[in-house]
Amino acid sequence: MENVTVRGLALPALLTSLLGRGRWRHPGEATLAEVVPWFESPLRFLPGAVAMEWESGSMDMFADDPSYDFFREARGSARATPVELPWLDVEQAVLIAVNRVPGDDVALALDYRTDPADPRVVGSDFWTDPRLCSWRTVSPAFSAFAVDLGLLAPDEARR
């Protein structure tokens, strides 16, 4: 499959492959709870680049309006210092899963600050401190995340 971009960022080849083969799907609540134990809200895995583009657009509102600082989303280009976790740099992120229940405002995102080819996966955390969102590492690389979810075998991630 060809190079697919969302918000100007190339989706990992592995994610593009999973999407193309119909294998990018929710792994079940029990598996997801093992991989992202702090999540208390159900997620919807986004079915493709168009949905990822659409949902990721919400990050702009949160980054551009100071009244939404509790979401901890910022534009790296507007900061004098690099944006680091627990903040999300919206210019270096793509949402791949979002809240299933409207209003929960939770998500999993590819975080390209670590590796543009195999970015880490981060998740929002509103449960540890309900006053502030903290973006936490779910997996150091998308390839490892896909294996952890059981969407592919470890040897498939290395191809």
Side-chain angles (χ1 to χ4, degrees):
M1 190 175 252
E2 65 186 58
N3 189 14
V4 177
T5 62
V6 173
R7 295 174 59 87
L9 300 165
L11 293 181
L14 183 56
L15 177 54
T16 302
S17 173
L18 289 170
L19 286 165
R21 295 182 289 155
R23 290 177 65 186
W24 174 246
R25 60 187 178 279
H26 195 292
E29 296 301 334
T31 298
L32 196 58
E34 288 179 23
V35 176
V36 193
W38 69 85
F39 255 77
E40 295 179 12
S41 295
L43 286 172
R44 177 175 61 92
F45 278 45
L46 298 173
V50 172
M52 291 173 189
E53 184 83 39
W54 171 258
E55 292 289 350
S56 294
S58 67
M59 296 187 298
D60 296 330
M61 176 183 64
F62 298 139
D64 295 338
D65 186 339
S67 67
Y68 288 110
D69 272 357
F70 63 90
F71 282 104
R72 288 191 174 163
E73 294 180 6
R75 291 187 184 282
S77 64
R79 299 283 175 113
T81 59
V83 176
E84 300 291 343
L85 293 178
W87 286 77
L88 184 67
D89 184 341
V90 302
E91 296 169 331
Q92 297 295 317
V94 169
L95 299 182
I96 57 173
V98 297
N99 51 285
R100 191 179 317 147
V101 177
D104 279 359
D105 294 328
V106 294
L108 295 178
L110 298 175
D111 183 356
Y112 288 80
R113 292 176 286 185
T114 56
D115 182 348
D118 196 8
R120 74 180 159 195
V121 177
V122 296
S124 57
D125 178 359
F126 286 96
W127 302 279
T128 302
D129 179 357
R131 296 169 296 151
L132 279 177
C133 174
S134 291
W135 288 91
R136 297 173 52 180
T137 299
V138 173
S139 184
F142 177 78
S143 56
F145 179 66
V147 169
D148 291 345
L149 293 178
L151 300 180
L152 51 98
D155 63 320
E156 289 179 284
R158 290 188 287 272
R159 292 183 194 159

